[in-house]
Amino acid sequence: MSHIHQIAPAPKTYELELDVLSNEPVNREYRLLVLRAPPELLEKCRAGQFFHLLCPQMGGQAPYLRRPMSIYGVYPEHGELHFLYKVTGEGTRALAMLRAGHGLNVLGPLGEPFSIEPEWDRLVLAARGVGLATLAPLALEARRLGKQLTAICSARSEDVLMSVDLFRNMGADVITLTDEDGSSSVENLEAVLIALIDGPGIDAFYTCGSNRLLKLLQKLGTRHGIPGQIALEQQMACGLGMCHCCVRPFQKEEGIVNLRVCREGPVFDIQEAMAW
Amino acid sequence: MVRLDVDIAGLRLKNPIMPASGTFSEDLADVFDLDLLGAHVTKTITRGFRGGNPTPRVCEVGGSMLNSIGIPSKGVGYFLENVVPFYQAYETPLVVSISGNTADEFAQLCAEVSVPGVDAIEVNISCPNIEEDGKAFAIRPSSTFEVMTKLRRATALPLWAKLTPNTGETSEVARAAEEAGADALVVANTILSMAIDIRTRKPKLGNLMGGLSGPSLKPIALRMAYQCARATKIPVIGCGGISTVEDAVEFLIAGASAVQVGTATFINPTAMVTIIDDLSHYLEAEGLSSVREIIGTVEDGEQREGVVFMEAAP
């Protein structure tokens, strides 16, 4: 089947220099980067999509390739684009040096977003640590659509639990699980999810980043017939789908296929994702 | 108004800036109008399906990158049905990059992609030849001549040979390609490299080794483009680490008639558009009316290559 491409004058993806409004630590481990962005850019952003950031070369850091980062918050009414990140390597060390007034070159929005089907009313998101940042915009979207959302937030200790207030402010029921009090074990999480399934019911799962969460949600999804989506990560070069660096294997009907996390993802069907 | 158009063996390009194979696809149309480019060069395809290499397929090395993608390909059928029609919506010429494991398979694919809508074929003879212990065709003049002869017989379209820096015989390989009927030379592909994570002691690429690209490759590719321009009478298309108009002009002065921009597009997706704009401004500032006036204008004192080599030797 061939198709003739219509050349669209308006780009779907923008390469732009945005102003940094603030870039402050929000707790011991995470920082919140706030950029001023034009409304036409923000209106195109969807939960689960990402931007490819050209981290600055400063303070002895010289990251070369862009770094993909999922959208944490989009606020067209304030003209703001938010990213939540943890300093782990050269790219994020460079990002942490940005101050209000600096510029940051961004490319985006990129990738396929999460979807919320009209018949899904009771949504459950479960994630751990910085993975919650990727799911935060989903809470905004769920509220906009009038969906009931339960956010299960897992972390090492209570004081690094991310996004709890944000999820509460979005009207979500929040369940916190920590390593410190032992509540974040897979067994306990399974018990929490089964209680929800047996109680109000779950129409769809959303998760990201964790292998054990993936396996658990695949198992429960299969057993109870609950669909789900997962946002995945992979090292990237171009972020647009040109280079094929960021592939991961997926279990499709026709067998195992490599798909590009930047283009066919980063959001995938939870049952097609493969544990790593 | 400065003229940017160039002629590559009978194929007119509205400007000398085009993407390097593997760093460009239909996806870039999400960012800018692809008709701004001098040519469209596809990612290399093979006849059959190829899955590509294990991940990680990319890593950073001191302001450049290594990759070992492994030419994933959906095969020639998918390409002819989906990719060629996509580019037919554009005026810009389409250059199809192809590769094969053997000279005969390569030639068969060359014939299969010689269809309306394709304006030139870039033959990636830098890929491993399984009949020669995995050594790339373009490492030796003899294997270059042999594969190019078969490719030449397979198509009437302009044939661009993409050379490899993994050879010690650049000029000889260039002449072998020319003698076998290549219409132009693309100089060059990535150079074989390696990086190791000292914490895990594992190679940073899943395939252990990969190709270096980006600014670190530029001086090597520039030297090769210069050698090829001197060694042959066919047009040379420079490729390797070009990120700015200054880089592009350097290759033009060395003798390249056009240039390909690759890794820079990963850093700035609009890099090629910027270089096209900046090239006009540069030529205007130099008081030139056409980009053709700068091609091959290197002031090298007409030194013989052998003398230069001896003096450059450590």
Side-chain angles (χ1 to χ4, degrees), chain A residues 15 65-67 244 263, chain B residues 30 57 60 267-268 270:
Chain A
E15 183 192 338
L65 297 169
R66 286 175 183 264
R67 299 297 195 270
H244 294 252
R263 193 80 194 181
Chain B
D30 285 356
R57 291 177 169 187
E60 284 189 3
I267 313 303
N268 293 105
T270 52

Side-chain angles (χ1 to χ4, degrees), chain B residues 21 41-45 79 95-99 121-124:
Chain B
S21 177
V41 184
T42 66
K43 185 168 173 65
T44 299
I45 63 155
F79 183 81
V95 182
V96 174
S97 171
I98 62 169
S99 178
I121 299 173
E122 180 178 289
V123 290
N124 182 3

Side-chain angles (χ1 to χ4, degrees), chain A residues 55-77:
Chain A
C55 302
Q57 306 214 340
M58 55 199 290
Q61 306 298 320
Y64 178 63
L65 297 169
R66 286 175 183 264
R67 299 297 195 270
M69 191 159 299
S70 58
I71 297 166
Y72 180 61
V74 175
Y75 301 94
E77 64 279 20

Side-chain angles (χ1 to χ4, degrees), chain B residues 107-169:
Chain B
Q108 196 177 348
L109 178 57
C110 188
E112 285 166 348
V113 299
S114 299
V115 298
V118 175
D119 299 287
I121 299 173
E122 180 178 289
V123 290
N124 182 3
I125 57 171
S126 320
C127 60
N129 171 4
I130 59 166
E131 291 167 328
E132 293 266 345
D133 298 330
K135 289 195 168 61
F137 294 101
I139 286 179
R140 296 194 191 97
S142 57
S143 46
T144 300
F145 184 82
E146 196 187 325
V147 72
M148 288 305 300
T149 301
K150 288 186 172 174
L151 289 163
R152 180 69 285 170
R153 283 193 205 121
T155 188
L157 287 174
L159 204 51
W160 300 1
K162 186 158 180 182
L163 306 188
T164 175
N166 302 317
T167 178
E169 302 176 274

Side-chain angles (χ1 to χ4, degrees), chain A residues 38-230:
Chain A
E40 59 269 28
L41 176 75
L42 296 170
E43 279 154 17
K44 286 195 163 66
C45 298
R46 294 288 172 271
Q49 289 189 304
F50 69 98
F51 276 80
H52 217 18
L53 308 181
L54 190 58
C55 302
Q57 306 214 340
M58 55 199 290
Q61 306 298 320
Y64 178 63
L65 297 169
R66 286 175 183 264
R67 299 297 195 270
M69 191 159 299
S70 58
I71 297 166
Y72 180 61
V74 175
Y75 301 94
E77 64 279 20
H78 303 120
E80 287 179 8
L81 177 60
H82 293 197
F83 296 99
L84 187 74
Y85 65 101
K86 185 176 175 176
V87 175
T88 54
E90 195 164 26
T92 44
R93 274 200 296 277
L95 268 191
M97 288 177 202
L98 289 171
R99 296 290 172 261
H102 284 149
L104 177 66
N105 183 298
V106 308
L107 172 70
L110 294 163
E112 289 296 323
F114 287 110
S115 63
I116 301 175
E117 299 300 324
E119 65 272 23
W120 298 348
D121 291 321
R122 287 151 303 185
L123 315 177
V124 168
L125 68 81
R128 204 174 143 76
V130 79
L132 288 160
T134 304
L135 297 172
L138 193 64
L140 280 165
E141 186 78 0
R143 186 176 70 167
R144 197 177 61 77
L145 296 170
K147 305 287 186 180
Q148 202 271 318
L149 176 72
T150 302
I152 303 174
C153 306
S154 171
R156 281 217 308 276
S157 60
E158 195 71 47
D159 68 330
V160 289
L161 275 172
M162 296 310 309
S163 321
V164 171
D165 290 344
L166 182 126
F167 286 127
R168 286 215 171 98
N169 289 340
M170 293 296 135
D173 294 329
V174 178
I175 299 170
T176 60
L177 308 174
T178 65
D179 299 352
E180 226 167 43
D181 68 8
S183 59
S184 66
S185 69
V186 176
E187 295 72 26
N188 189 50
L189 176 58
E190 183 167 359
V192 168
L193 287 164
I194 287 172
L196 286 169
I197 293 167
D198 291 343
I202 298 175
D203 293 327
F205 292 126
Y206 298 89
T207 189
C208 95
S210 153
N211 219 0
R212 54 180 207 163
L213 270 173
L214 169 64
K215 287 188 205 167
L216 175 62
L217 295 178
Q218 281 179 332
K219 185 177 84 176
L220 293 177
T222 304
R223 191 192 295 161
H224 299 277
I226 302 168
Q229 296 170 7
I230 183 168

Side-chain angles (χ1 to χ4, degrees), chain A residues 1-15 52 54 57 62-67 90-91 105-107 109-110 234-249 256-258 260 263-264, chain B residues 22-35 43 51-53 55-60 62-65 67 69 72 74 81-82 85-86 88-90 204 213-215 243 263-271:
Chain A
M1 244 192 20
S2 62
H3 65 280
I4 295 295
H5 167 73
Q6 297 296 312
I7 300 164
K12 284 187 207 160
T13 298
Y14 296 85
E15 183 192 338
H52 217 18
L54 190 58
Q57 306 214 340
Y64 178 63
L65 297 169
R66 286 175 183 264
R67 299 297 195 270
E90 195 164 26
N105 183 298
V106 308
L107 172 70
L110 294 163
Q234 182 61 286
Q235 276 182 302
M236 288 183 191
C238 76
L240 284 161
M242 302 184 289
C243 70
H244 294 252
C245 285
C246 66
V247 297
R248 294 186 80 106
I256 293 171
V257 297
N258 274 334
R260 297 165 295 182
R263 193 80 194 181
E264 285 83 38
Chain B
T23 65
F24 176 76
S25 69
E26 303 90 294
D27 304 304
L28 198 56
D30 285 356
V31 186
F32 66 84
D33 178 4
L34 301 185
D35 252 338
K43 185 168 173 65
N53 286 337
T55 55
R57 291 177 169 187
V58 60
C59 74
E60 284 189 3
S64 289
M65 69 173 260
N67 83 80
I69 313 292
K74 289 180 178 167
E81 266 181 43
N82 298 280
F86 173 90
Q88 277 176 325
Y90 295 94
K204 288 186 178 175
S213 67
S243 316
T263 306
T265 298
F266 294 170
I267 313 303
N268 293 105
T270 52

